[in-house]
Every structure is written in C-alpha cells, then in structure tokens.
Amino acid sequence: MVESRKTPDMSVDLAGMHLDNPVIPASGTFGFGREYADLYDLNILGSISFKGTTRDPRYGNELPRIAECTAGMINSVGLQNPGLEAVLAEELPALAKIYSKKVIANISGFSVDEYVACAEAFDQADQVGILEINVSCPNVHGGGIAFGQDPKEAARVTAAVRKAAKKPIFIKLSPNVTDIAEIAKACEAAGADGISLVNTFLGARIDIKRRAFVIANKKGGFSGPAIFPIAVRMVNDVYNAVDLPIMGMGGIASAEDVIEMIMAGADAIQIGAANLVDPWVCKKIIERLPSLMEELGISSLKEIKGCAK
Amino acid sequence: MKQQIAEIIENKNIARSIWQMRIRFPEAFDVKAGQFVQISLPGRFLRRPISICDMDGDVMTLVYKVVGGGTDQMTRLAEGEQLDVLAPLGNGYDLDQIPEGAALVGGGVGVPPMYCLAKAIADKKPVVYLGFASEEEVFFKEAFEALGVETHLNIGGYVTDDVPDGAYICACGPEVMLRAANAKAADGQYSFEARMACGFGACMGCSMHVKDGYKRVCKDGPVIGKEELAW
Ligand SMILES: Cc1cc2nc3c(=O)[nH]c(=O)nc-3n(C[C@H](O)[C@H](O)[C@H](O)COP(=O)(O)OP(=O)(O)OC[C@H]3O[C@@H](n4cnc5c(N)ncnc54)[C@H](O)[C@@H]3O)c2cc1C
Ligand SMILES: Cc1cc2nc3c(=O)[nH]c(=O)nc-3n(C[C@H](O)[C@H](O)[C@H](O)COP(=O)(O)O)c2cc1C
Ligand code: FES
C-alpha cells in the first residue's frame, strides 16, 4: 500500500519573518492591494511589498509611462505615491482590512535623510514585517540610482537605515551594475538583514514612425519574463557572495519559475509585471505550487534553496 | 472586472483600416457606456485596451482601427477562435448628469463608445456629431440613425465646428478634438486615452493631471468631467 504523502511545506523564513508561502507581489505592481482584493482573498499571499513610498507625495513622471517589449514592458512611473504621511494614515489601515499578515514596506529616497525618515516611521508600524530599501529605482533623475550603483553609497544608506530601524532590512538592488555581488557584499557588511533583487533594467523603445522615444522620459525600467534568465543569474551571484536571506524576482510568471528562482538561491520570491497582465497570477501560482513540488519530489522549499549544481 | 474567455463570432472590415469584432461571453453582464476591455493577444505581453461599442446580452461589439502590430494581429483572428479579455474596465459615463439634447461627439475610433452612449440615452434625444478623416473611413452612420437619433457627419474637417456653443458635450477622440470640444462646452464628460499596462488601477502607468491631483485614466477614468480637468 502506498502511504499518503504529507502535503509539501511551502513555508519560508525571511530574517525571522515567517511566510506561509514564498509568493509576494512586487512593489509597484500591486499598489496597496485594493485593486486585487476585489479579485481574490489576499490572505493567501506570503506577504505583500507595497508601492515604493517616499517622504513627500510624488506625482511621478509625465505620460506616456509605459512601453511594450517582447515578453516584457518598460515603465517610467517615477515613484508616484501619496507620501509617507498618507501611507501611514490611510493606505496601511485600509490594507490591514484586506490583508491580515505582515507586509513589506518598500522605501525610496533621494537622500540618506529621506530613507532614514521613512525607515523610522515604518519601523513603528506593527503591520510592517520587513523594510525593503529600494536603492535601485532607475526612473528618477539624480535619485535612487546613485545609491544602488556604487557599493560605498549602497553601504551608506544601509548603515543609516540600520541605525534608524529595528525591523529586518532588505536592500533592493539595481541590476544596472557590472558586479552585483560586490554591492550585495557592501550592504551585508553595513548591516543588511537580507537582499531583494532584481529591480528593473534600464531600457528604451523608439517609435520608428515618429522617430521619437515611446516614453516621455525616454528611458525607463524594463521587466517581465524577458529578464528572467538574467535575474536567475544575478540571484545566484548574490547567493554565492553573501550569507543573507534573498527575495528573488525578475520575470517570474509561473510556479516553475518560482522553483527555479529558489534553486538559484532565493528564499522567497516576488512577482511584478506578471500581475499587470494576469491579475490572478499569484493565486494561480500558489495553487499550483504544492502539486508541482510533489511532481518534482520536493517536500520543503527550504531544502532546495540554492541547490542548483 | 472579470477575466473571461469569449468566442469570436464575427470579425470584419467595415471601413478603411477599421474592423468590427463581435464576441460572445459565457454569460451576459452589465456594462456602462465609456467602459472598455483589455484584450490579450498571443505573443504580446501587454493587453490592448478597446472601448465597448455595444453590448447585447452576452454579445459585445468592438470596433478597432489597425494602427500597429497588435491591432493588425486582431484582424487575423477568425470566427470560432477564443479571446482572453478583462472586462468591464473603467468608470463609464455618468448618465444622470447628461441633459436632454446633449451633443455626443466622436472622432475616428472615438465613435464606437458614442454608439454605446447614444443607445443608452436615446430617450434623451441626444444629437450625434461624427467626424472622420475621409469618406473611406466612415462607419456606423446608419447604426446611429437606426437608433432614431439626429446624426451629423463631418468628413475631413473639424467635427467640433458643427457643435453649437454652450452645449453639454460628451466626447471621445483625439486630444485636440477633446480640447476643441471643451472650449465650446458649457459642461460635459470626455473619454481619455493613455498607454496602459494593467488597465485596472494597480500600476500608475496611466495617471493624468487633473485639477486636484491626478486620476488613473484606466480606473478613475477613462471618462472625466469638464469641471475636473486641469485645462
Ligand atoms: C480606454 C481606451 C479605449 C480605446 N478604445 C479603442 C477603440 O474602441 N478602438 C480602437 O481602434 N482603439 C482604441 N484605443 C486605442 C487602442 O488601444 C490602440 O490603438 C491599440 O492598443 C494599438 O495597439 P497596436 O499593437 O496595434 O499598436 P502598437 O503601437 O504596436 O502598440 C504598442 C503598445 O502601445 C499601446 N498603444 C498604442 N497606441 C495606443 C493608443 N492610442 N492608446 C493606448 N495605447 C496605445 C498598445 O496598447 C501597446 O501596448 C483605446 C485606447 C484606450 C486607452
Ligand atoms: C509598473 C512598475 C512599478 C514599479 N515600482 C516599483 C517601486 O515603486 N519600488 C520598487 O522597489 N520596485 C518597483 N518596481 C520593480 C518591481 O518591484 C520588480 O523589482 C521588477 O519589476 C522585476 O520584477 P518583474 O520582472 O516580475 O516585474 C516596479 C515595476 C513595475 C513594472
Ligand atoms: S494602466 Fe495601470 S493604473 Fe492605469
């Protein structure tokens, strides 16, 4: 007689935060959850990384902000968000009504002071489990990009935020660098509790009929399935370089992609652009994962982290 | 909003570069004039936003112009094929605000949502103004007339020239046309367009400046009232 097998264990740990499963919608593609709460019960999600928040409200960049690419898209939203105060007073309480687990506070800034101000404030919010420091948004002139592209600057932000906050801090890295492992190591040395990667790749599209860039800001952040192989490579580079938990992302669109990203070295994963074209994709992946794990003989996701030989 | 698999029951060329597609949904649902759908096309990452032109029970009519790869691909879809759509999306026209005898102005592919609107408020005796760039591009003139509404046609000129000053105007078309309509309107509501990623309010890809802040064209629009505009 065949013994009935235990259901596979999808739970993961991220610097002390327990997740029922590794699936997290990525910042900027899920707002503060509201649009998706109409579609399915968000409590099935491992966590949610909410829209990148800055100290002051931001309208962001001019339109057009979106350009289509083969198997992906470019966005140049420019960190549109209602600002720290409104996020704390309105968005987080509203999110608490539709999502009862801990969330990930995605923070952006244009100066170390701004990162610190946001980190201090979100550190006080019970609802927040992890601070995810975006040192990589490629959209804003003279903004976050400088921090994420220089190991010393990335370490400076990390150290300042580390001093300001008690909650675990994950530094979200820009892939627009030659050696991402070097940046990750600098963040580790400066006190990061984990690394998130990758943010979007700088890209551009030109409308050949109009002889003009499609996006008003000309260049923007490229993401979606097209970047998946590069993201897998970079997550593995960072996995080999640091001894920290990793949230892996970039082009994930299926349960198979999730397993592959974890085998590359991620503890948990985030899903970005795929939500925008299939708003049920996170739900579908969470429902598919247990049977896929069984098919692959995986009893626990923790066992396969970085297992690729 | 729901993700639905609809079946194509008709896809035909009705004017130069203009195609009409009718799709049947698994079940009937309510739509508002001015709302749109997001169509997924094999091999293309983003969905294509197209206005709802008509809804009759479980059958929806869409009218689209071939302007690029995606709309060209749509012309090759055959009867019986399936289409993955998110529908309905956006706010739609606020019908209660529209007075008797309002002017409904459509330019080019701004005409289809005006059909849906004219049908919904036919009893308020709206006056329809349709603008097309050339004779070959004219479509739906008879369809409007069949609704029993007064219908004016402008070919190659400025459709807004035909609209009386001080009218209540509902309009859909290129931004220059909307601005011209707005200059004449005492009040009104206009449908806007933007390059979109999600189409349901999540990505901030489409947010447009308005008087007090911004609106997401896909979710808070695409229909925006005159008093809200920053023009
Ligand atoms: C709310 C709304 C309703 C619309 N209703 C209609 C309609 O009823 N009939 C119709 O013919 N057209 C309509 N459009 C425009 C239609 O979406 C575009 O013509 C279409 O997406 C072009 O796709 P393409 O692949 O052929 O062009 P490409 O230029 O190859 O498309 C490349 C990318 O740009 C986007 N894009 C290109 N032009 C536009 C545009 N004008 N507006 C928004 N996105 C664009 C595409 O969606 C795609 O992501 C509507 C647009 C919006 C926003
Ligand atoms: C429309 C859009 C907005 C985004 N906004 C943010 C943001 O505010 N903060 C951030 O850290 N990353 C942002 N990102 C990056 C994503 O979180 C993610 O890192 C990236 O898109 C790669 O994942 P994907 O290929 O699954 O989209 C955004 C991405 C998209 C597509
Ligand atoms: S297209 Fe995503 S918010 Fe409008």
Side-chain angles (χ1 to χ4, degrees), chain B residues 12-143:
Chain B
K12 64 177 187 191
N13 185 222
I14 57 169
R16 192 169 72 201
S17 303
I18 304 286
W19 289 63
Q20 171 176 312
M21 181 185 274
R22 293 201 307 138
I23 57 179
R24 188 189 299 285
F25 287 90
E27 55 192 50
F29 56 94
D30 289 335
V31 305
K32 288 197 240 160
Q35 286 188 308
F36 65 102
V37 301
Q38 279 267 61
I39 298 179
S40 168
L41 296 169
R44 293 187 197 268
F45 186 68
L46 296 178
R47 291 170 181 267
R48 296 299 186 270
I50 301 288
S51 305
I52 297 170
C53 173
D54 192 16
M55 186 82 180
D56 187 1
D58 58 357
V59 175
M60 183 182 286
T61 304
L62 306 169
V63 173
Y64 61 95
K65 181 176 184 175
V66 178
V67 298
T71 44
D72 182 52
Q73 189 176 342
M74 282 174 70
T75 66
R76 293 191 296 276
L77 297 172
E79 255 171 60
E81 282 188 60
Q82 297 195 317
L83 203 61
D84 169 352
V85 284
L86 296 180
L89 300 171
N91 59 352
Y93 283 88
D94 183 346
L95 303 187
D96 295 340
Q97 295 288 322
I98 304 176
E100 293 269 324
L104 311 191
V105 183
V109 282
V111 168
M114 287 302 131
Y115 178 78
C116 198
L117 182 58
K119 193 173 162 185
I121 60 164
D123 57 329
K124 290 189 184 174
K125 302 268 174 296
V127 183
V128 174
Y129 300 88
L130 307 178
F132 297 98
S134 67
E135 197 77 56
E136 296 75 42
E137 284 160 76
V138 176
F139 63 91
F140 265 53
K141 179 173 180 286
E142 294 77 18

Side-chain angles (χ1 to χ4, degrees), chain A residues 28 31 35-36 39 59 62-66 68 72-73 77 80 209 214 225 273 275-277 279-280 284, chain B residues 1-3 44-48 67 86 194-198 200-209 214 216:
Chain A
E35 291 74 25
Y36 295 87
L39 309 181
Y59 167 72
E62 292 308 313
L63 299 185
R65 295 176 173 182
I66 303 292
E68 193 185 43
M73 59 177 279
V77 169
Q80 178 170 0
K209 286 184 213 146
V214 171
N275 287 300
L276 306 179
V277 292
W280 290 268
K284 289 176 188 166
Chain B
M1 171 182 87
K2 268 176 137 183
Q3 179 180 27
R44 293 187 197 268
F45 186 68
L46 296 178
R47 291 170 181 267
R48 296 299 186 270
V67 298
L86 296 180
R195 300 240 168 188
M196 294 179 177
C198 68
F200 52 87
C203 73
M204 297 293 163
C206 66
S207 64
M208 157 181 157
H209 286 290
Y214 71 90
R216 295 163 297 178

Side-chain angles (χ1 to χ4, degrees), chain A residues 136-193:
Chain A
S136 49
C137 185
N139 290 336
V140 184
H141 303 289
I145 193 157
F147 297 106
Q149 288 187 318
D150 178 343
K152 283 196 208 71
E153 289 298 297
R156 195 158 73 90
V157 177
T158 307
V161 172
R162 171 74 294 154
K163 259 177 79 184
K166 291 195 185 58
K167 292 192 199 283
I169 54 174
F170 276 59
I171 308 299
K172 182 164 174 184
L173 301 183
S174 166
N176 301 306
V177 295
T178 312
D179 183 359
I180 199 157
E182 183 196 4
I183 315 263
K185 277 194 252 177
C187 296
E188 181 179 40
D193 299 293

